[in-house]
Amino acid sequence: MIRVTIAGGTWAAVDKLTDTLAAQGARVRVLTDAPHLARGHRDKGNVEYMAIQREDSLSLRVAFQDTDRAFLAGGDPQRPSRYDLAMIDAAVQAEVPYLVNLSEGGGCPGQSARQWQSETDRHLAAQSITATRIHPALSLDAVLAVAARFVPLGLWGGIAGSGQAALVDSSDVAAAAARILLEGAERHADKVYHLTGPTAVTMGYIADYLEENLSRRVRYHYRARDEQRTLYLRAGLLPPLIEALLGQDTLIREGFYAETTPDLFALTQRPALTVIDWIKEHRGDFIAGE
């Protein structure tokens, strides 16, 4: 039985990956620095949940013991990057033979997503561990979760302008990551996968899709940075999240996420979920707030 240890990423995304791996017979250990989450998820079948202390290197090293393959999801703008680097170090010290590292976000305006490397990518490259890197485009789920909060109020908008993004569904990313982990280093060592949606769209196009499915007027309001920041503050969003959202919009506007690749289809052997299909499946998310 393959033993996989998962660390980092949003809890919902981790659940999707965990379920996929467990269904394929892998033994999965999920690490979290929120003890209440570990307690709230009872160990079931071949899945166990372990609380960790990110500032304790021994705790992290112990968490990765008896691991055949590790999955680390980094790039959370609300989490210090040193935590991601500590996870890599712990996996290396625990002599994990194969590591899959997923890095989200980042980059510089005008730079191709294929050219961008995260801090964790550079750190990982300096380690003596066999690895595979995954770079997903912006999460379709996350972008439209923000939209679902503001669309019912008629306030959805941002500074993305007419920039395009090939938004990708988190379930598709989880399926691709599971395939890599299950097949292992023999097929995927030293490879870099750029996972994108099937086509790049503007926020204005998404507004049109929403209007069609909600049978109501939906607009994406193009705002200046300070105006959008003020709106987020009044809505109660925390400053780190606000800056992350503004940075995300900037990268969309500059075309950083506009590129599409065939990597997702090659890994999953199925077409990536489109924006319009995602909206149809989650129509209730936008109605619930009205």
Side-chain angles (χ1 to χ4, degrees):
M1 179 181 290
I2 298 172
R3 296 166 297 182
V4 180
T5 296
I6 299 174
T10 64
W11 199 258
V14 166
D15 279 348
K16 293 176 182 178
L17 177 58
T18 299
D19 290 345
T20 302
L21 290 170
Q24 295 297 314
R27 173 71 184 176
V28 185
R29 176 185 298 152
V30 181
L31 309 182
T32 174
D33 57 357
H36 68 282
L37 289 180
R39 290 193 299 267
H41 287 70
R42 292 184 178 180
D43 296 352
K44 52 185 179 181
N46 50 343
V47 180
E48 63 175 326
Y49 298 86
M50 178 183 292
I52 57 171
Q53 299 178 29
R54 291 184 183 274
E55 302 287 1
D56 184 346
S57 59
L58 177 59
S59 167
L60 296 182
R61 189 163 65 250
V62 169
F64 283 101
Q65 287 183 346
D66 301 319
T67 297
D68 298 315
R69 298 163 193 180
F71 177 82
L72 307 181
D76 184 343
Q78 299 186 77
R79 184 178 66 233
S81 62
R82 69 177 184 275
Y83 290 155
D84 296 335
L85 305 187
M87 286 290 187
I88 291 174
D89 291 341
V92 172
Q93 291 165 8
E95 299 183 344
V96 175
Y98 179 52
L99 186 150
V100 177
N101 185 68
L102 181 149
S103 296
E104 297 179 331
C108 301
Q111 181 183 27
S112 165
R114 283 177 177 265
Q115 296 173 325
W116 174 69
Q117 283 193 335
S118 69
E119 185 179 4
T120 54
D121 286 332
R122 294 189 293 270
H123 186 73
L124 183 58
Q127 310 304 313
S128 57
I129 187 170
T130 302
T132 297
R133 290 157 43 204
I134 301 175
H135 289 295
L138 282 180
S139 167
L140 180 57
D141 317 55
V143 170
L144 291 187
V146 175
R149 177 167 182 172
F150 292 98
V151 163
L153 304 174
L155 296 175
W156 183 45
I159 64 173
S162 58
Q164 296 181 322
L167 305 176
V168 64
D169 177 53
S170 64
S171 294
D172 284 337
V173 174
R179 179 73 176 270
I180 294 169
L181 286 163
L182 291 169
E183 293 181 344
E186 183 176 346
R187 294 204 50 184
H188 303 285
D190 302 320
K191 292 185 178 180
V192 182
Y193 294 105
H194 298 273
L195 307 182
T196 73
T199 186
V201 298
T202 66
M203 299 302 106
Y205 274 114
I206 293 177
D208 290 342
Y209 295 152
L210 287 169
E211 182 171 310
E212 178 181 334
N213 282 271
L214 300 178
S215 300
R216 54 159 292 180
R217 174 68 168 151
V218 177
R219 289 182 57 200
Y220 178 84
H221 299 273
Y222 301 96
R223 302 189 179 99
R225 178 178 291 268
D226 287 345
E227 183 184 6
Q228 187 64 28
R229 181 184 287 109
T230 298
L231 184 145
Y232 282 149
L233 284 169
R234 289 175 177 170
L237 275 62
L238 296 177
L241 176 57
I242 292 173
E243 295 310 312
L245 291 174
L246 293 174
Q248 174 181 287
D249 273 6
T250 299
L251 293 176
I252 293 174
R253 187 179 67 231
E254 298 293 338
F256 181 75
Y257 294 109
E259 184 179 14
T260 60
T261 77
D263 290 359
L264 185 57
F265 182 83
L267 287 165
T268 64
Q269 295 300 299
R270 69 178 190 228
L273 189 70
T274 65
V275 173
I276 188 64
D277 285 338
W278 192 99
I279 290 173
K280 289 178 179 177
E281 292 179 8
H282 296 82
R283 184 174 179 273
D285 295 353
F286 296 88
I287 296 175
E290 294 182 341

